[in-house]
Amino acid sequence: MPSSGAAQALPQLPDTADELNAVARDVGAAAADIHLGRDASETTLKRAALAQYDIIYFATHGLVAGDVKGLGEPSLALSIPDQPSELDDGLLTASEVAQLKLNADWVVLSACNTIAGDKPGVEALSGLARSFFYAGARALLVSHWAVDSEAATRLTTSTFELLKNEPKIGRAEALRRAMLAYLDDASSPRNAYPAMWGPFALIGEGEVR
């Protein structure tokens, strides 16, 4: 079992609650479907009727093999339980994702480095993306490198706000417009750098179904 102590040492992502709540408002999600803090656990996820959700959204850390002691595959970091078990050790691995039953138009992985790997000899988090497709996702929003938390929040919330206002533009076009708005924002010179706005990519179905 991976070391929960190492997983607990991951830095906090304070922007993620605002991000999730903003997206939830745009898509009309019920408050009961938003799971934050300790409630954002493997147990909560695995007990949910996931097949009934069109959008499944993770705002957390993505890990590759070796990031946490004993971790042999790409994973998403969720909350660490008081008593870690095989069912819930705080890390949702690619093999566990593949066993989920999804029917989702879109799975969003608003997390650090959810598709690319930068360590020799370890599987990239693209393995995690493949597992979501295997589980039943039709499209994924992923990141190619470690993302700035504030930039990720702005880009993802803008993407969903655009879709709310113009549903027919589709996911790929909404993401493109969100990126253009971000890099054109002259409030900070950092906004123009691709490192800030460029890591996210949509794979799978990008048009309106």
Side-chain angles (χ1 to χ4, degrees), residues 54-157:
D54 295 328
I55 300 170
I56 299 175
Y57 198 114
F58 295 89
T60 184
H61 290 284
L63 304 171
V64 296
D67 281 344
V68 172
K69 184 178 179 181
L71 181 63
E73 58 183 315
S75 307
L76 292 174
L78 300 179
S79 66
I80 304 295
D82 293 331
Q83 298 293 328
S85 65
E86 186 175 348
L87 171 72
D88 187 345
D89 61 3
L91 294 171
L92 183 67
T93 64
S95 58
E96 289 175 314
V97 169
Q99 296 176 47
L100 300 176
K101 304 299 182 184
L102 310 181
N103 187 26
D105 289 335
W106 202 357
V107 173
V108 179
L109 304 182
S110 178
C112 294
N113 193 34
T114 48
I115 195 169
D118 58 2
K119 296 180 180 180
V122 302
E123 183 183 11
L125 281 163
S126 55
L128 191 63
R130 287 196 301 272
S131 293
F132 274 105
F133 280 121
Y134 183 83
R138 286 179 283 277
L140 291 174
L141 181 63
V142 295
S143 55
H144 284 286
W145 57 80
V147 298
D148 176 84
S149 182
E150 186 273 338
T153 297
R154 282 185 56 187
L155 284 165
T156 53
T157 55

